[in-house]
Amino acid sequence: MPCSRPTRLDEATALGRQHGCAGHAWRLRDLRDAGATVALGSDWLIAHYDARTVLAAAHAPRGGASVRAGLTGLEALEAREGVTTRAARAAGEAEVTGRIAAGCRADLTARGLDPVQAPADELAQAPVLLTVTGGHVVHRTQ
C-alpha cells in the first residue's frame, strides 16, 4: 500500500527508515490516474493536521519523496477534492458531507485566498477567515 505522509515521513527520519515506506510515499498521482479514490486528511502525529498544509503538500510534494524522478503532485482542484468530496466518499458519508448542498452538514472553511488558484506555499500560510461546523459558525476572523 502506498504511503502518503510527506510532511514528516521521508528517508531523513527514523520513522521513515523504520517503516521503509519513504521510497513509496506520495504516489497520489499514480493512484488517482489509476482510478482510485484519493482521500486526503490528517494522520496526526505522523503527518500535519492542518488541512492547508495537507492541500499544499498534495499539490507540491515535499521532503524525501519530492526528489524522486517523475514524482508529481495532484492538480490544485484534485487536492481540494481529496479533502472534500473524495474524503466524504471514502468515509461512506458522501450523502451528508464533502460538499455545499441542501441537506448536507454544512461543514466548511473559508480561506483568505482561492485554494485552487493559489501557489502551494501561499496556501499553506493562508489565513482562515471562517469555519462553520454543522451549520454553526465556530470561528470568524474579525
Side-chain angles (χ1 to χ4, degrees):
M1 168 176 258
C3 175
S4 58
R5 300 173 179 152
T7 55
R8 293 195 177 183
L9 191 57
D10 61 35
E11 292 173 345
T13 68
L15 193 56
R17 287 189 302 274
Q18 176 185 350
H19 292 287
C21 72
H24 305 286
W26 277 113
R27 303 307 303 194
L28 299 180
R29 166 57 49 215
D30 295 342
L31 290 167
R32 174 122 180 172
D33 289 351
T37 295
V38 175
L40 302 173
S42 166
D43 194 9
W44 187 252
L45 294 164
I46 302 300
H48 205 280
Y49 63 89
D50 188 329
R52 297 171 301 175
T53 304
V54 172
L55 282 167
H59 183 54
R62 299 197 179 0
S66 66
V67 298
R68 276 203 333 270
L71 180 73
T72 59
L74 299 173
E75 295 297 323
L77 180 59
E78 294 169 334
R80 187 174 151 267
E81 290 170 349
V83 297
T84 57
T85 56
R86 289 177 178 244
R89 183 186 320 156
E93 297 187 345
E95 296 301 315
V96 295
T97 192
R99 58 200 163 92
I100 300 172
C104 286
R105 274 200 306 242
D107 296 339
L108 64 96
T109 300
R111 296 177 180 86
L113 50 70
D114 182 339
V116 175
Q117 299 297 320
D121 291 336
E122 289 180 24
L123 178 58
Q125 302 300 319
V128 175
L129 304 178
L130 177 74
T131 303
V132 178
T133 302
H136 303 282
V137 175
V138 296
H139 168 78
R140 181 187 311 259
T141 300
Q142 298 301 327

